[in-house]
Amino acid sequence: MSVQDRAIPASPAANSTLVPELRNFVDGEFVAGDHFFDDVNPADGTVIARVSEAGANVVDAAVAAARRALRGEWGKAGVWQRAALLYKIAEGIEARFNDFVQAESADTGKPVALASRLDVPRAAANFRVFADLIKTAGLEAFETETPDGKQALNYAVRKPIGVVGIITPWNLPLLLLTWKVAPALACGNTVVVKPSEETPASATLLAEVMRDAGVPSGVFNLVHGFGEGSTGEYLVSHPDVNAITFTGESRTGAAIMKACAPGVKPVSFELGGKNAAIIFADCERDETIQQMSDAVFLNTGQVCLCAERVYVERSIFDWFVSAMKHKAESLQIGWPQDRSTNMGPLISRTHREKVLSYFRKARQEGATIVTGGGVPEFGDERDNGFYVQPTILTGLPESACCVTEEIFGPVCHIAPFDSEDEALAMANDTEYGLAASIWTSDLKRAHRVARQMNVGITWVNCWFLRDLRTPFGGVGLSGIGREGGVHSLNFYSELNNICIRL
Ligand code: NAD
Ligand code: 6OH
């Protein structure tokens, strides 16, 4: 689809409609671009906002503002001053907690219960953790012997990289955006942020929080729009952007890498996954089923860390499949606003088409559909939304596309295994390498298997348990680099080593 097809020309009528208008935030001001596009609520397909698409001119202005801000008071702000501002931003998010929950839920269709428990608290935590970290980060130092028997002192100082372009997806919009904005600001950079076109609202609220917290103009800039041929492409190929940090699909990462090549811009990529879970017969059963239900269905399966491939020791295979079936069929699929809802719709009609196409392929490839495989019917406006049934597949060969390709929906394939080696071989037989989980009561086996997984993070008897100080990222098609803790500080700063002969 071209930009022209997607965009609605700006007209006076745009302001007279009842839907709010979401604008770009550049140099401390909300500004409109030349076109608008629709922000759709996936629960019922209604248009909830019109979003101003940032053209190349708006992206230019945002990058220029970010560059100027580096030379201004922000460039001179010390670590304690920056940390104090980050705490204020965290407080600002908490002060508007409900606004953020409502915005995130309306854009994504995720249950308000989930946004209240996960997305919004994590956004505030991201700012607090990186404020704490930057205050306590020491300098690397070495005493060095010189060839003439004297000494030199080496120490490395951290400097900002400069203007950082931040591009994020729609599944955990505020969580993933602040996961990058917080360390970038902690390290003294300025940012130009492009959230997903599907989920512009929480980032727009964050711009208000930034303004109200007293973040100097130009330090945080927000541009709305699409990827290829639009805002995202303008941002990643902009010659005055010093680094790009991106979360999204692996093939988008590849396109961004190409755009960054001419300027040799550093990139940090958190990409897709086709994550395995290995369930041993000695697992703690109730706990495993409880958490595996989240690992497959949380956020309607739209978490990069979700388990889409589940390998179960043969002696408990039947039990596991039937317990997961029960869990899937007990999920409350419904209106996101209803506090008892624990599964919402997929993000968009297009994404639902993709997920349904995998259900069709699964049938063609000979899968048993244990449960789900279709679209639920409600008899109300939700039938205009983008819901699918939680789905469990069995019986596919390891080469089937539903076992090798990321589906990004509430679906997993469950296969039996007979030995630890076989489970490991199947789990590692993928081009991706983001996350894995292992479920066992045998501590020695847990250590042994965990270190053989070709992934960035392995959970044992838990899933999506995050400590923000730890390295996070993936191998293979799942990403480049690590963020989290000192790894984020290292990406978002340049180290200048100073060697002094004493
Ligand atoms: P996507 O790659 O389609 O889009 C992500 C962002 O990139 C959006 O803001 C989009 O507008 C922008 N974009 C697209 N093409 C671009 C281009 N050519 N240049 C610049 N920007 C461009 O991803 P999505 O569909 O929004 O998100 C789902 C994907 O994200 C899944 O593959 C999922 O696994 C992955 N993901 C990974 C992680 C992780 O931490 N590894 C976290 C969340 C999501
Ligand atoms: C992907 O959908 C989830 C990614 C999670 C994180 O990046 C995180 O920091 O928890």
Side-chain angles (χ1 to χ4, degrees):
M1 201 189 288
S2 78
V3 176
Q4 291 310 321
D5 291 336
R6 293 180 304 233
I8 305 163
S11 71
N15 294 328
S16 63
T17 57
L18 288 177
V19 289
E21 193 178 288
L22 302 180
R23 296 185 171 207
N24 307 292
F25 185 70
V26 175
D27 208 9
E29 305 278 342
F30 283 97
V31 294
D34 296 336
H35 297 103
F36 288 86
F37 61 92
D38 289 344
D39 179 15
V40 171
N41 183 340
D44 58 9
T46 53
V47 174
I48 48 176
R50 289 162 55 78
V51 189
S52 169
E53 181 178 4
N57 56 336
V58 176
V59 173
D60 274 347
V63 174
R67 178 65 55 199
R68 274 196 306 279
L70 278 172
R71 299 196 199 102
E73 57 172 315
W74 179 249
K76 298 183 189 75
V79 160
W80 289 83
Q81 218 178 327
R82 299 200 301 255
L85 203 52
L86 263 60
Y87 293 129
K88 261 184 112 173
I89 297 166
E91 284 159 21
I93 293 171
E94 284 160 351
R96 300 191 61 184
F97 192 90
N98 280 331
D99 293 344
F100 276 104
V101 167
Q102 293 306 327
E104 204 71 321
S105 174
D107 266 5
T108 58
K110 74 176 71 200
V112 290
L114 179 61
S116 310
R117 181 173 95 234
L118 174 67
D119 303 69
V120 182
R122 231 325 268 287
N126 285 337
F127 285 100
R128 290 221 166 81
V129 164
F130 285 106
D132 290 346
L133 271 166
I134 199 68
K135 286 197 308 188
T136 51
L139 297 181
E140 198 180 341
F142 293 94
E143 282 181 344
T144 307
E145 283 184 18
T146 62
D148 60 357
K150 299 208 171 130
Q151 283 219 312
L153 177 65
N154 280 281
Y155 67 98
V157 291
R158 273 181 199 287
K159 299 203 291 192
I161 319 181
V163 176
V164 179
I166 299 180
I167 304 207
T168 48
W170 43 257
N171 59 330
L172 305 168
L174 185 68
L175 185 161
L176 292 170
L177 188 134
T178 52
W179 171 238
K180 292 176 180 298
V181 171
L185 297 188
C187 293
N189 300 286
T190 57
V191 298
V192 179
V193 168
K194 195 204 84 64
S196 167
E197 56 273 29
E198 308 280 2
T199 52
S202 57
T204 312
L205 274 179
L206 184 67
E208 292 181 12
V209 165
M210 294 279 171
R211 182 196 57 195
D212 298 345
V215 174
S217 296
V219 171
F220 175 90
N221 303 277
L222 165 69
V223 289
H224 290 298
F226 301 83
E228 196 180 350
S230 173
T231 321
E233 189 176 322
Y234 305 146
L235 181 58
V236 295
S237 48
H238 198 292
D240 205 28
V241 171
N242 299 101
I244 293 291
T245 178
F246 165 73
T247 301
E249 277 194 42
S250 304
R251 65 168 171 269
T252 312
I256 291 178
M257 218 169 160
K258 266 193 198 155
C260 288
V264 202
K265 275 176 212 160
V267 293
S268 175
F269 284 171
E270 298 178 1
L271 308 176
K274 187 71 185 177
N275 310 303
I278 304 181
I279 322 284
F280 290 97
D282 64 357
C283 69
E284 208 287 284
R285 291 194 184 195
D286 289 349
E287 184 71 20
T288 302
I289 286 296
Q290 187 55 41
Q291 297 213 36
M292 277 304 299
S293 171
D294 271 351
V296 176
F297 301 121
L298 190 86
N299 208 39
T300 319
Q302 302 166 119
V303 179
C304 57
L305 308 160
C306 276
E308 291 194 4
R309 297 180 298 139
V310 184
Y311 300 103
V312 182
E313 198 160 355
R314 195 176 297 277
S315 60
I316 61 163
F317 181 79
D318 290 344
W319 162 77
F320 184 85
V321 171
S322 97
M324 282 296 281
K325 175 178 189 288
H326 177 71
K327 275 285 176 197
E329 290 171 0
S330 318
L331 288 168
Q332 298 292 317
I333 309 173
W335 286 111
Q337 295 300 322
D338 183 341
R339 285 260 157 198
S340 64
T341 294
N342 47 24
M343 197 173 113
L346 293 168
I347 189 70
S348 63
R349 189 176 304 282
T350 310
H351 188 52
R352 180 167 71 173
E353 263 319 301
K354 175 183 159 188
V355 172
L356 291 176
S357 78
Y358 277 103
F359 293 172
R360 283 193 294 276
K361 286 180 204 168
R363 287 191 174 91
Q364 285 157 11
E365 287 177 318
T368 300
I369 313 270
V370 175
T371 186
V375 170
E377 283 178 19
F378 299 100
D380 59 28
E381 290 84 355
R382 284 171 293 180
D383 292 335
N384 301 322
F386 315 129
Y387 290 86
V388 292
Q389 292 169 328
T391 297
I392 294 177
L393 313 172
T394 58
L396 286 172
E398 285 296 289
S399 58
C401 68
C402 290
V403 184
T404 58
E405 296 170 19
E406 183 186 49
I407 302 174
F408 220 55
V411 52
C412 69
H413 178 254
I414 311 181
F417 69 84
D418 294 303
S419 71
E420 187 179 304
D421 283 348
E422 188 196 4
L424 257 168
M426 290 194 288
N428 279 334
D429 186 15
T430 170
E431 294 178 287
Y432 290 101
L434 188 58
S437 61
I438 296 166
W439 304 83
T440 179
S441 304
D442 179 340
L443 203 52
K444 280 192 177 166
R445 169 154 59 199
H447 283 288
R448 187 171 63 234
V449 175
R451 62 171 55 225
Q452 292 180 79
M453 302 302 308
N454 295 332
V455 292
I457 183 163
T458 304
W459 280 291
V460 177
N461 298 331
C462 56
W463 176 77
F464 205 178
L465 179 58
R466 294 279 288 113
D467 180 325
L468 308 187
R469 298 166 300 182
T470 59
F472 183 91
V475 305
L477 285 186
S478 291
I480 295 181
R482 296 289 180 275
E483 296 199 34
V486 70
H487 307 280
S488 295
L489 303 187
N490 286 343
F491 179 74
Y492 295 103
S493 47
E494 292 287 8
L495 291 175
N496 176 1
N497 186 69
I498 299 170
C499 176
I500 305 183
R501 187 179 152 90
L502 300 176

